[in-house]
Amino acid sequence: MLKPYILLFLFLFLFSELVVAQVKISSWNLQNFGKTKSESEINFVADVLNEFDVVALQEIVAGYGGVQAVAKLADALNRKGSKWGYVISEPTQSTPYATERYAYLWKTSKVKQKGKGWLEPHYRDEIDREPYMLDFIYNGQPFTLVNFHAIPKKKQPETEIKYFKFLPGKYPDKNLIFLGDFNVPQSHTVFNPLKKIGYLPLLENQKTTMKMECVGEECLASEYDNIFFNSKKINLLNFGVVLIYKSFPNMQAVRRISDHIPVWAEFEFSSKRR
């Protein structure tokens, strides 16, 4: 039988060989986030997002008003005790009425940006608002967010999403996390190829868009927002949604912020030291 101090030594050795990192990520469609958002509305968004380490935003207005609104949001977050970095994409290569920007914000003390973000080029002609990708490092562990806003349901977003199954092959060395507003539920068959290679949805049977009016206690409408992660590389520790409408007197008031609620996940990355 091994002596206790030898067992302790073996435990510490094995533990030291393993690097573990945990990060809390949120995704939120902010519905025409631009100059029409008031200071109080931006402050509310900052209050919601402050508990996360990195945030992916969709539907940032393509014009200068969108850039200004994200800068104001970063400033509001900076006043809450942590330093936040942020980047904003160039406008997507879309039809004029559909073009928009994406944004990322992150706590610089916890998450590091690696390189510059890019609008995914491989399927630019097939995807109206091409995803915005950015590499991050958390406690030495790299991951890449794929931020996406699909075309509306009536335009068949599955015709765009079907190309996502090719992205892990295009970026074989990256730990991809797909997140955003897909405008179809995770149960749609278009996600099956991703699921077959290990990318699991964060949420199942969870509605994330808000009704115009609540019907009794039911205020949510559709299962559109989600996060897909590689279950072979990432452990899911916790997840949820933020029911922002509970902070407002009625749905008209909350929908001035957005018609979507934020979704979030806490992930653990682990790998052997080299």
Side-chain angles (χ1 to χ4, degrees):
M1 180 179 291
L2 293 175
K3 293 183 178 181
Y5 70 86
I6 297 177
L7 289 173
L8 178 61
F9 173 80
L10 288 173
F11 173 79
L12 292 174
F13 174 77
L14 290 172
F15 185 79
S16 67
E17 286 293 296
L18 194 66
V19 179
V20 177
Q22 298 174 359
V23 62
K24 200 170 184 181
I25 299 172
S26 179
S27 174
W28 196 359
N29 178 329
L30 277 178
Q31 189 191 21
N32 296 321
F33 193 65
K35 63 183 179 181
T36 61
K37 303 297 183 183
S38 68
E39 181 178 352
S40 63
E41 289 165 350
I42 288 175
N43 285 335
F44 176 82
V45 172
D47 286 336
V48 172
L49 297 180
N50 191 48
E51 67 173 288
F52 305 111
D53 298 319
V54 57
V55 176
L57 302 179
Q58 304 90 44
E59 211 168 308
I60 308 301
V61 171
Y64 184 60
V67 175
Q68 283 185 311
V70 174
K72 290 178 181 178
L73 175 58
D75 183 60
L77 285 165
N78 283 331
R79 294 196 299 270
K80 296 184 180 299
S82 296
K83 174 64 178 176
W84 286 74
Y86 72 95
V87 294
I88 309 168
S89 76
E90 292 297 318
T92 55
Q93 300 296 309
S94 316
T95 48
Y97 71 91
T99 187
E100 61 184 54
R101 298 177 190 263
Y102 299 97
Y104 291 112
L105 301 98
W106 62 93
K107 289 176 178 171
T108 59
S109 62
K110 295 186 176 182
V111 180
K112 306 302 180 186
Q113 175 189 3
K114 181 182 178 183
K116 295 182 178 180
W118 69 98
L119 289 167
E120 210 294 314
H122 291 96
Y123 303 105
R124 186 168 291 170
D125 293 335
E126 292 81 12
I127 298 176
D128 199 21
R129 292 181 288 243
E130 64 272 33
Y132 184 49
M133 302 176 65
L134 184 60
D135 295 326
F136 290 96
I137 297 177
Y138 188 87
N139 283 358
Q141 297 302 302
F143 62 95
T144 303
L145 297 185
V146 185
N147 193 359
F148 180 59
H149 183 201
I151 54 177
K153 184 179 180 180
K154 64 183 179 181
K155 293 190 174 183
Q156 299 180 308
E158 60 270 21
T159 61
E160 299 184 323
I161 297 169
K162 68 182 182 182
Y163 294 100
F164 280 25
K165 64 186 177 186
F166 301 118
L167 291 182
K170 297 291 185 183
Y171 301 95
D173 297 327
K174 296 185 184 297
N175 187 1
L176 301 182
I177 299 174
F178 298 89
L179 72 178
D181 173 10
F182 299 96
N183 276 318
V184 291
Q186 62 79 30
S187 57
H188 195 288
T189 56
V190 73
F191 292 111
N192 287 350
L194 278 177
K195 293 177 181 178
K196 286 180 180 178
I197 59 175
Y199 283 86
L200 300 182
L202 175 73
L203 304 171
E204 295 184 12
N205 302 315
Q206 172 63 61
K207 297 175 180 178
T208 60
T209 66
M210 288 181 285
K211 293 177 177 289
M212 296 295 293
E213 296 285 351
C214 295
V215 179
E217 296 296 317
E218 183 56 70
C219 300
L220 299 176
S222 300
E223 302 175 41
Y224 285 170
D225 304 85
N226 220 317
I227 300 175
F228 288 81
F229 63 98
N230 189 339
S231 59
K232 298 176 182 178
K233 296 182 178 181
I234 304 174
N235 295 321
L236 177 63
L237 299 180
N238 201 1
F239 66 94
V241 298
V242 184
L243 302 178
I244 59 171
Y245 55 85
K246 292 189 174 183
S247 299
F248 292 83
N250 54 57
M251 296 302 281
Q252 289 83 2
V254 68
R255 286 172 67 93
R256 287 198 288 269
I257 300 291
S258 179
D259 54 354
H260 292 247
I261 60 174
V263 304
W264 62 269
E266 187 173 17
F267 291 125
E268 178 185 77
F269 308 94
S270 61
S271 68
K272 290 285 187 71
R273 290 185 187 272
R274 295 188 181 276

